[in-house]
């Protein structure tokens, strides 16, 4: 399979790696065509009908572009013990950018921020996140496509860690089966604590992966937990402004050209020159503008609350093939249970049914 070129309205011609094409052709990725990027905001801004599909491709393109620029600049850097970026790592960045939003539900963040919390059980400590579903879908994709002609097993784990880092709390918390004596034995001494503080003095945030300890800059490209400057935001800021009809001054291609991997203490991180200050300021101001005028628009929020209520009502009965028969049975049971107040309940059921018919197509 050869690379393909597609034309993107934001970034122009984008060349896709053959492995990315295999991923795009899977049902897991094709479903992103039907998941709106901005949820219910399209009912306020009619032009905001873009989907997670094109955003994922744009993020993949920017991840590759930034990776190549950093690779070129590191090769020219005359510094001992400098990190390097391999071609395989750039491919991993491209795949991670492509797949980072696979797990989004209907209407994007409406599903995990409004709908899912309504069904959270009291004992659940950890909230469900769309990244959890992303990793599950990624496992399913790699089981059904050929990828070992480009990547190895450790590369797949690297891609997953780029999308979502391992949970630090699960690593720190002792197991429930562990005895109190064993916990006491594992407590570090005062000298050990002092050594740990010295080791972390030059560490900006705790590392959870061996590659992240050696090359932390790679983990700042797609989802930057350090300063929130990453290609995911660059794409959706530019794409959302374009589709919403809002003006913005931020130029991410300029930031890509000026990005460098610089040594801070004992670590190497992505940095920008002082001349890039105002452009990055425009990036954060663009974010503020989008939240103020679109993401937190009062009418859009009201619409999303109504859609959430429809999902909650349809939750027990909204099933899809091969469960169609089960849905019909559930619907008939709902009718028979409410014969004592048939006329009052019948209207409610019909309203719920109308919501189901209108919303089913988004899955």
């Amino acid at each position: 399979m050869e690379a393909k070129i597609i034309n993107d309205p934001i970034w122009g011609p984008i060349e896709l790696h053959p492995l990315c094409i295999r991923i795009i052709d899977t049902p897991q990725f094709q479903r992103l065509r039907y998941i709106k990027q901005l949820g219910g905001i399209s009912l306020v801004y009619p032009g905001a009908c873009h989907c997670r599909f094109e955003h994922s491709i744009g993020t993949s393109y920017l991840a590759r572009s930034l990776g190549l620029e950093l690779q070129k600049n590191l090769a020219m850097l005359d510094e001992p013990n400098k990190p390097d970026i391999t071609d395989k790592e750039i491919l991993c960045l491209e795949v991670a950018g492509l797949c980072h939003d696979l797990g989004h539900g209907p209407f994007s963040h409406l599903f995990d921020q409004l709908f899912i919390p309504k069904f959270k059980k009291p004992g659940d400590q950890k909230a469900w996140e769309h990244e959890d579903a992303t990793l599950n879908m990624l496992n399913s994709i790699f089981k059904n496509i050929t990828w070992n002609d480009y990547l190895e097993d450790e590369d797949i784990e690297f891609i997953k860690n780029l999308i979502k880092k391992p949970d630090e709390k699960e690593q720190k918390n002792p197991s429930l089966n562990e005895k109190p004596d064993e916990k006491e034995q594992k407590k570090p001494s005062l000298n050990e604590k002092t050594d740990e503080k010295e080791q972390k003095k030059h560490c900006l945030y705790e590392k959870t992966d061996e590659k992240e300890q050696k090359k932390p800059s790679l983990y700042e490209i797609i989802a930057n937990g350090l300063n929130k400057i990453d290609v995911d935001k660059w794409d959706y800021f530019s794409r959302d402004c374009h589709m919403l009809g809002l003006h913005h001054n931020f130029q991410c291609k300029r930031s890509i050209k000026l990005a460098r991997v610089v040594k801070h203490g004992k670590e190497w991180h992505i940095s920008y020159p002082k001349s890039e200050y105002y452009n990055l300021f425009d990036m954060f101001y663009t974010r503020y503008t989008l939240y103020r005028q679109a993401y937190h628009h009062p009418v859009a929020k009201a619409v999303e609350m109504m859609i959430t209520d429809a999902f909650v009502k349809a939750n027990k009965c909204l099933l899809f093939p091969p469960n169609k028969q089960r849905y019909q049975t559930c619907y008939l049971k709902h009718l028979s249970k409410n014969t004592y107040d048939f006329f009052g309940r019948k209207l409610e059921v019909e309203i719920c049914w109308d919501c189901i018919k209108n919303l089913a197509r988004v899955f």
Side-chain angles (χ1 to χ4, degrees), residues 135-154:
L135 298 183
N136 292 333
M137 288 192 180
L138 202 58
N139 289 332
S140 177
I141 286 175
F142 285 124
K143 285 180 181 177
N144 292 285
I145 67 170
T146 303
W147 51 267
N148 50 15
D149 49 345
Y150 295 109
L151 300 175
E152 299 176 4
D153 291 337
E154 56 267 25

Side-chain angles (χ1 to χ4, degrees), residues 94-111:
E94 194 173 355
V95 172
L98 187 70
C99 299
H100 78 285
D101 274 349
L102 277 176
H104 268 293
F107 294 99
S108 292
H109 287 293
L110 178 151
F111 189 75

Side-chain angles (χ1 to χ4, degrees), residues 44 46 51 71 73 91 94 109 115 138 141-142 160 179 181 184 196 219 225 229 232 234 237 239 272 307 316-317 329:
V44 179
C51 302
Q71 182 190 48
N73 293 324
L91 177 57
E94 194 173 355
H109 287 293
F115 175 71
L138 202 58
I141 286 175
F142 285 124
K160 293 178 184 177
K179 296 179 182 179
D181 294 340
E184 292 295 328
E196 289 177 4
Y219 292 79
I229 301 174
D232 178 26
W234 291 352
F237 288 168
R239 196 172 301 276
Y272 301 89
I307 294 173
K316 294 182 180 179
C317 295
T329 305

Side-chain angles (χ1 to χ4, degrees), residues 121-295:
K121 297 179 181 178
D124 294 343
Q125 295 181 351
K126 183 182 176 184
W128 182 89
E129 298 175 339
H130 72 268
E131 289 87 357
D132 300 322
T134 295
L135 298 183
N136 292 333
M137 288 192 180
L138 202 58
N139 289 332
S140 177
I141 286 175
F142 285 124
K143 285 180 181 177
N144 292 285
I145 67 170
T146 303
W147 51 267
N148 50 15
D149 49 345
Y150 295 109
L151 300 175
E152 299 176 4
D153 291 337
E154 56 267 25
D155 298 321
I156 303 299
E157 287 303 313
F158 174 48
I159 291 170
K160 293 178 184 177
N161 291 338
L162 286 172
I163 295 172
K164 184 178 182 180
K165 296 179 185 178
D167 194 347
E168 296 177 9
K169 292 182 179 180
E170 291 180 3
Q171 294 179 358
K172 292 178 183 178
N173 291 341
S175 62
L176 296 175
N177 296 327
E178 194 175 298
K179 296 179 182 179
D181 294 340
E182 294 174 351
K183 295 178 187 177
E184 292 295 328
Q185 292 173 3
K186 292 183 180 180
K187 285 185 178 179
S189 64
L190 291 175
N191 292 333
E192 289 175 345
K193 288 182 178 179
T194 305
D195 294 339
E196 289 177 4
K197 289 180 181 178
E198 288 297 324
Q199 291 174 2
K200 292 181 181 179
K201 188 177 290 183
H202 300 288
C203 179
L204 296 178
Y205 56 90
E206 188 173 350
K207 309 298 186 299
T208 58
D209 181 73
E210 184 179 352
K211 187 184 283 288
E212 188 179 8
Q213 294 174 0
K214 297 178 180 178
K215 302 178 181 181
S217 58
L218 292 175
Y219 292 79
E220 299 166 5
I221 293 177
I222 295 171
N224 191 343
L226 188 61
N227 53 32
K228 308 301 180 183
I229 301 174
D230 53 59
V231 297
D232 178 26
K233 294 179 182 61
W234 291 352
D235 183 84
Y236 79 73
F237 288 168
S238 301
R239 196 172 301 276
D240 290 356
C241 283
H242 177 79
M243 302 304 292
L244 289 165
L246 300 178
H247 178 72
H248 74 97
N249 294 321
F250 172 62
Q251 299 176 344
C252 73
K253 289 190 174 182
R254 172 186 167 89
S255 296
I256 289 175
K257 291 294 182 183
L258 295 176
R260 299 290 185 272
V261 178
V262 177
K263 192 173 184 180
H264 296 268
K266 294 183 179 180
E267 297 178 346
W268 295 78
H269 295 277
I270 298 177
S271 303
Y272 301 89
K274 290 182 179 179
S275 61
E276 190 61 5
Y277 169 83
Y278 289 106
N279 191 37
L280 292 176
F281 173 83
D282 284 336
M283 186 201 88
F284 286 104
Y285 187 77
T286 299
R287 182 185 185 187
Y288 163 75
T289 303
L290 284 167
Y291 272 90
R292 181 171 59 88
Q293 296 191 22
Y295 302 160

Side-chain angles (χ1 to χ4, degrees), residues 17 32 43 54 59 75 81-82 85 112 114 124 171 181 184 248 270-271 276 292 312 327 336-337 352:
H17 190 277
L32 296 180
L43 297 173
E54 50 264 39
T59 304
N81 301 322
K82 66 180 180 181
I85 298 178
D112 55 336
L114 297 179
D124 294 343
Q171 294 179 358
D181 294 340
E184 292 295 328
H248 74 97
I270 298 177
S271 303
E276 190 61 5
R292 181 171 59 88
V312 171
Y327 166 76
S336 60
K337 259 192 336 183
C352 186

